[in-house]
Amino acid sequence: MTVAPRPAIQVLPQTAAERIAAGEVVERPASVVKELIENSLDAGARRITVEIEAAGRALIRITDDGAGIPAAELSLAFERFATSKIRAASDLTHIRTYGFRGEALPSIAAVARVTVVTRPREEQAAARITVAGGRREAVGSASGAEGTTVTVEDLFFNTPARRGFLKSDARETAVIIETVEAAALAAPEVAFHLTDGGREVLWAPPESFAARARRILGAGLAEHTLEVAAAGAAAEILGIVGMPQIAQPRRTHQWFLVNGRPIRSPLLARAVGQAFHTLIPDDRHPAAVISLRVTPAEVDVNIHPRKAEVRFVHDRTVFDDVVRAVRRGLHETPLVHAVTADPGPSAPRAAGRDVLSHAGGAPAAPYPALDTTGTLGNAAGGAGIGEPEVLWRPRASAAPGWPVIRLIGQLALTYIVGESGGDLILVDQHAAHERVLYERLIARHEAGGAQAQGLVTPGVVDVGPAHAALLADLEPALRALGFEVEPFGPSGVRLLSVPAIATARAPGELFRACLEDLGGDPGPHAGRALEERLAIATACHTAVRAGDRLTMPTMEALLDDLAQTRDPFSCFHGRPTIVRMRGRELERWFYRKT
Ligand code: ADP
Ligand code: MG
């Protein structure tokens, strides 16, 4: 057996070493864009223009009106660990700039052809340098405006492997756009301009953070946003949050900044999601731009090589701060879904299997459905449909933003129709009642005990062997909500009590339906506590359904009860309970105004 002679240890040629090191900084075209924008911001630019061609592979050009680089230092800027931003290791503890490692320019120039034209304010002429694949090609003077233009061509021309890892042009372009948008959020006082193949993608003048955040979310979403500002225990929070109506199927409309730096943060994403709990479907994500200020000692920005993530010392406190701030903002805002004749592509689809299972499925309950529930006041002898209109006013304790509604009647045995300030109001009777019952169940449970209603004649319910086996696990949760059961035979239970709220429905049927919901695939509710899922099931199977005929007083009572809930604008599935069609929209239908 022959052993190959061992190669001697050698220091790598500089170009090879640089190309390897570059891999850490320059992962894809967007990394170049990020580094160069940061350099421009560090140079005090007030205006930054980004041009790209072919997803940044052919060209990335960034022009700023910042401080510029003196001609004498220009070639030094391409040396590794050459920086004007720190002088010694001790400076690392109080960094005020985006960059400081002195690696961006040499790294980019190792894998592309980079030309810098730059003119500091006090200089007459601009200086120019071109470095390609780590080799200096030209140095000289040039004409140029104050500031710096960095042109990056043929990215990864000498690193085919890296080039092979790039995603489609559309994807890489999208990442570049996101990168510019993130920088634009971090520096709203700076004007940003982005073009792709000469086509304008983003133009943002200097503006406030709120205005910039709304611009980045886009006009369609910005219309339905609210401002959040709060000083929490660990973080100061400023944000623009989308109303439930514009929640998105993906997280692409969430932005987080910590101490002015755009970051990704699963923690903050979860916090925002938590604040929207039950306000939007579980498979949707709120649109949000949240900027946090925390004491520097409370946050570690160096856990990620490109500083794209951070770690909080007191992450639980930060989480709670964000949940509370966003919740408060939501509770101060009328969250009535505004609808138009064309809901548009961003309109959330009607989600939730539980919703559909009721629409038309069950036979209509005998008129008047709510009279027997005992939960919405006694409506017996009340006015029927077609009786004179009732002017309904919210009680003093109505949720903020809850509209004053003049009740008109019922539509399709499914919706309560009303008027509010000239707008058409529609309330989904099932969703509305679900919200009312759910909050009552949870409130009573939290207050230390559900109200159970003992059954005069305990019923025996055959739940089948599979569910009977589940019962032992479910027992505490069932009891907590008011279901008292004892085993009866191999596949049955004796039902002794049900939640007081749910006495309207046949107890056996209700119990079986709840077990079905809990025993089956938890679907979108998988993340929720058992008690909550049971409360949802109970409320869902107790609530009036589509097809139930409601009297005027019953509808009034339902609206009244809904107005008292904490989150009256959606049911716990995140479906809207109430929508509003603006009067001016109606006018358009009838060509009353143009
Ligand atoms: P770092 O940003 O970590 O200092 P870079 O390699 O990104 O390292 O840049 C090296 C140096 O070049 C910077 O410290 C700065 O002095 C100078 N420089 C780079 N880009 C610009 C720019 N757009 N305007 C002014 N100076 C710049
Ligand atoms: Mg830099």
Coordinates of all heavy atoms in Angstrom, one line a residue, residues 356-363 546-547:
L356 N -68.0 25.9 8.8 CA -68.7 25.4 7.7 C -69.7 24.3 8.1 O -70.8 24.1 7.6 CB -67.7 24.8 6.7 CG -66.9 25.9 6.1 CD1 -65.8 25.3 5.2 CD2 -67.7 26.9 5.3
S357 N -69.3 23.5 9.2 CA -70.1 22.4 9.6 C -71.5 22.9 10.0 O -72.4 22.1 10.1 CB -69.5 21.6 10.7 OG -69.3 22.4 11.8
H358 N -71.6 24.1 10.3 CA -72.9 24.6 10.8 C -73.8 25.2 9.7 O -75.0 25.2 9.8 CB -72.8 25.6 11.9 CG -72.4 25.0 13.2 ND1 -73.2 24.1 13.9 CD2 -71.2 25.0 13.8 CE1 -72.5 23.7 14.9 NE2 -71.3 24.2 14.9
A359 N -73.1 25.8 8.7 CA -73.8 26.5 7.7 C -74.8 25.6 7.0 O -74.4 24.8 6.1 CB -72.9 27.2 6.8
G360 N -76.0 25.6 7.3 CA -77.0 24.8 6.6 C -77.0 23.4 7.0 O -77.9 22.6 6.6
G361 N -76.0 22.9 7.7 CA -75.9 21.5 8.0 C -77.0 21.0 8.9 O -77.8 20.2 8.6
A362 N -77.0 21.7 10.1 CA -78.0 21.2 11.0 C -79.4 21.8 10.6 O -79.5 22.9 10.1 CB -77.6 21.8 12.4
P363 N -80.4 21.1 11.0 CA -81.7 21.6 10.7 C -82.0 22.8 11.6 O -81.5 22.9 12.7 CB -82.7 20.5 11.1 CG -81.9 19.6 12.0 CD -80.4 19.8 11.6
A546 N -76.5 29.3 11.8 CA -77.1 29.8 10.6 C -78.3 29.0 10.4 O -78.3 27.8 10.5 CB -76.1 29.6 9.4
G547 N -79.4 29.6 10.1 CA -80.7 28.9 9.9 C -81.6 29.1 11.1 O -82.8 28.8 11.0

